[in-house]
Amino acid sequence: MAFRKDLLLISSWIKNDSKVLDLGCGSGELLKILKQNKNIKGYGVDNDIQNIKSSLKNNVNVLQMDLDKGLNSFESNSFDYVVLAQSLQVVKKPKDLINEMLRVGKEIIVSFPNMGHWSSRIQLLFKGMMPITTNLPYRWDNTPNIHLCTIKDFLKFCRDNNFEITEQCITNKKQKSSLLTKIIPNLFGEIATFRIR
Amino acid sequence: MNNKSIEKITTNIAKIRTPLRLVSGKTLPQYDLKYETYGELNENKDNAVLICHALSGNHHAAGKYQGDDKVGWWDNMIGPEKPIDTNKQFVVCLNNLGGCHGTTGPTSINPETNKVYGSDFPIITVNDWVNSQKELMDYLDIPYWQFIVGGSLGGMQAFEWTLQFPLLVKNCIVIAAAPKLTAQNIAFNEIARQAIMKDPNWHDGNYLSKGVFPNHGLALARMLGHITYLSDASMKEKFGRDLKKSKLNFNYEVEFQIESYLRYQGEKFVTGFDANTYMLMTKTLDYYDPIKDLSKSIKDRLGDSKSKYLIISFTSDWRFPPIRSKEIVKILLDNENNVSYSEITADGGHDAFLMENKDYFDVMRSFIKEVDDGF
């Protein structure tokens, strides 16, 4: 089975036998990979009933909850990792959620689609319209994405809020790191993934 | 959706002759458990499912009796190719101890006095139920339950099973339940009991020996209960302010459809239910508190549980609303048990757990199927 490459990257950052909370878990793919390869104990959180069904079919623990209401069901420091994979842009208060993640997890992993990628910039510059890309396929008036940002925005956001980034990986369209994504990540990176403490 | 009901129903009575020591300190020297089974126990004996009924339920969960056109109370959930699939699973449902549908209860004869128990029947707790059901399990030679499934009070029983016999339950589905009752829940039960006890035919619970029934009180209790099982929205949709006749009469007769409906529900209920059983079941509910029970911490009690849990709630349920189901989820999360939780959007109130709903049934199927295949 072919897994999403961004999830394989996140998986590589997670130690064997750890306890993982995956926020916005979708169909539970990440937890499935982690269960198979890393023997983790994990729970997914999602608020879409279709994702709850898919996760159950994937035999992962899944909790139907609204991330915008915080993580009250979880005790402080009760997880080794709290992951938010490509869901940062859909939450109402990203700062509050990241603070909650830091409360619950010893370490957190956040990934998001980079709005600063050249294809987005070109669409806005030449078409004068909101960009529609592979990772951001929605029209402006019908999108769950309410808090899109660029890598530069996110770095400033972390500095302003004292979120300490310990590792980062910026990947291109092929979901690989390249020379270009290393030199000018905010222009050539499609997906940005950060480890934060 | 599939409307085919199970055709082969096996109804039996297990005569348990091992005395049951109750939480109250009393002992039941012997008792009968009336139960039904659907489907076949396979060779490995690993496909047994226990269904736990709610306050006024009984052992007849699915299918139709010959000559009867009414199906069992959970026929939409249990049957061939239904979420609890009788082609694959061996399903057991019993009438709880203290019930009035064939299991030993207040309407049975007390072997020590040769008289009807009436209000002398001891109060049974959820723990006692689980212990009596364990006897039935041994009687049926079932080594462990692949699933235990219950809604409302039945959900509490299902949960309690995993605390009392953690190694005997592979999967536990707890629907529209709470870890314990709130003051509001207990208050409703108390009014129901008062309604029964204030009936002139109550006679301290010994009405059967006088040949009468506290039907007014029991009907009133049921009417009250029934309101708590529905939601404001579902009542509005079903009845609104509709009148039985076209105009107001300016008297105290039945005028609104909802009044007529509630009276009908109350009157129908008393023909098939015993007042002492109703008293007992509401007390059982009030007493249930797995956290305080048995002087052990919940962590100790859950310590060995390898059960996989699925907790389901319904958005319009105000008797055991989603926030109460989440309390169960929290207990299980804190103890690192395998648990999933789904909050189904439904207008049906507490009774939504008995109604067909695509998301609800899909969630059940997804959980059951995965576990099934992984076996």
Side-chain angles (χ1 to χ4, degrees), chain B residues 351-369:
Chain B
D351 266 354
F353 90 87
L354 294 167
M355 297 172 193
E356 201 157 311
N357 171 308
K358 187 173 187 306
D359 286 337
Y360 171 31
F361 279 39
D362 282 354
V363 162
M364 290 288 287
R365 279 179 201 276
S366 304
F367 183 76
I368 291 170
K369 187 175 174 303

Side-chain angles (χ1 to χ4, degrees), chain A residues 7 21 27 32 43 50-51 61-62 72-74 80 91 106-107 116 118 120 138-139 145 149 165 175 177 179 188:
Chain A
L7 299 183
L21 181 63
S27 61
K32 195 176 172 182
Y43 302 88
Q50 302 310 329
N51 286 335
N61 297 318
V62 63
N72 297 334
S73 295
F74 308 97
D80 297 311
V91 299
K106 291 172 188 137
E107 187 179 318
W118 61 265
S120 300
Y138 304 99
R139 240 176 57 173
N145 301 325
C149 68
I165 295 170
Q175 304 206 10
S177 286
L179 194 58
F188 292 103

Side-chain angles (χ1 to χ4, degrees), chain A residues 19 41-43 49-50 52-54 56-65 72-75 78-79, chain B residues 308 310 326 329-330 332-334 336-344 358-359 362-363 366-367 370-371:
Chain A
K19 197 178 160 197
K41 177 157 208 88
Y43 302 88
I49 187 76
Q50 302 310 329
I52 301 297
K53 296 176 197 173
S54 314
L56 288 174
K57 280 186 192 144
N58 275 327
N59 198 14
V60 301
N61 297 318
V62 63
L63 307 162
Q64 190 176 350
M65 290 175 184
N72 297 334
S73 295
F74 308 97
E75 291 292 316
S78 57
F79 284 85
Chain B
K308 240 180 105 171
L310 172 64
K326 280 191 193 164
V329 174
K330 177 84 168 59
L332 294 167
L333 277 174
D334 288 351
E336 302 192 356
N337 290 85
N338 284 310
V339 53
S340 290
Y341 169 68
S342 182
E343 195 169 305
I344 305 292
K358 187 173 187 306
D359 286 337
D362 282 354
V363 162
S366 304
F367 183 76
E370 175 46 45
V371 173

